[in-house]
Amino acid sequence: MAGQQDPVIWLRPEQAAVGRPAERSRAEITAAAVELADREGLEAVSMRRVAAALGTGAASLYRYVATRDDLLDLMTDSTAAEYHLPAPSGDWQSDLLGIADQARQIMRRHPWLPTLVITRPTLGPHGVDLLEHLLDVLAEHPAAPARKLEAFAVLNALTALYVQNEEAAADPGAQRQSAYLRHVATAGTHPRITALLAATPPEGKPHDRFPTVLARAMAGVLG
């Protein structure tokens, strides 16, 4: 039928119906792709490179994963298996921060993940478990169900953006930009920037504002 899309990979058979018996599993293929991305970046992930890591040919991978996009979806969802999902404590704000803290650590372990979370959010079996947990945390919150779903999306996207910003801040280019901003502040031609930087501690470990930013965002979405 024209315009009909293929179902998500988790609704398709593990292996093509024709061909030799299965030699690999999607889990093995996904793990190899994640390891490759962790080591060399997302750009290194191709069917050919993943197949080489598994000691097989790229053509054989297409029996399990139809496209690279499918592979990216499998990779993203696999990282959601790294969450620890304890029973809700009754303090929804604390529990949401706990989810976000875990997301932050997972994204730091997999530097390629924030880009996929932002550009092609995916909800597979492990992601569904995470969503169910968040809804359990918010079960007694009076917000409408749609707002709770929005909170899930915002939590993931905000965490991804925050991790990307942390990585960018460590880049030498960002330090050059900071030096220029200090020059502008010293010149006195932009008084609001001067006042802003004057109120910012110049040295020492910066205060982690992630919990505050997240709490404000969640309060706004669920308000």
Side-chain angles (χ1 to χ4, degrees):
M1 181 181 297
Q4 185 175 359
Q5 294 183 337
D6 289 335
V8 295
I9 189 168
W10 297 283
L11 292 179
R12 287 182 247 148
E14 173 81 9
Q15 186 199 2
V18 296
R20 293 174 297 175
E23 299 174 354
R24 302 289 179 182
S25 68
R26 282 179 183 165
E28 288 180 286
I29 295 168
T30 302
V34 167
E35 182 179 355
L36 179 60
D38 287 348
R39 187 174 64 249
E40 300 184 34
L42 196 60
E43 298 78 9
V45 176
S46 67
M47 302 296 268
R48 180 183 61 80
R49 290 291 306 278
V50 174
L54 292 168
T56 187
S60 67
L61 257 61
Y62 288 102
R63 297 163 57 202
Y64 309 90
V65 182
T67 66
R68 183 176 184 269
D69 284 345
D70 285 341
L71 185 57
L72 296 180
D73 288 346
L74 288 168
M75 291 168 62
T76 299
D77 188 68
S78 73
T79 64
E82 299 180 28
Y83 286 88
H84 172 59
L85 306 177
S89 68
D91 182 345
W92 67 267
Q93 289 181 313
S94 177
D95 288 349
L96 288 186
L97 180 58
I99 295 172
D101 279 339
Q102 289 192 68
R104 195 178 179 191
Q105 295 306 316
I106 291 168
M107 291 179 192
R108 286 172 171 172
R109 287 197 294 272
H110 306 292
W112 50 269
L113 182 57
T115 296
L116 292 185
V117 168
I118 294 168
T119 61
R120 48 178 303 115
T122 300
L123 201 60
H126 297 302
V128 166
D129 291 341
L130 179 60
L131 174 58
E132 180 71 13
H133 176 67
L134 180 140
L135 294 175
D136 201 17
V137 164
L138 295 175
E140 302 303 319
H141 195 286
R147 290 286 188 92
K148 295 177 182 180
L149 190 59
E150 289 171 2
F152 179 72
V154 169
L155 183 150
N156 287 326
L158 180 60
T159 305
L161 287 169
Y162 207 93
V163 170
Q164 285 186 327
N165 186 67
E166 288 178 316
E167 293 176 353
D171 186 89
Q175 313 218 352
R176 291 194 298 270
Q177 289 296 318
S178 295
Y180 175 68
L181 200 57
R182 289 193 297 271
H183 167 77
V184 169
T186 302
T189 54
H190 297 76
R192 295 192 185 277
I193 293 176
T194 300
L196 174 66
L197 294 188
T200 303
E203 297 179 356
K205 185 177 180 180
H207 175 64
D208 184 6
R209 298 198 55 80
F210 180 67
T212 301
V213 171
L214 182 77
R216 288 175 178 168
M218 292 298 96
V221 172
L222 295 167

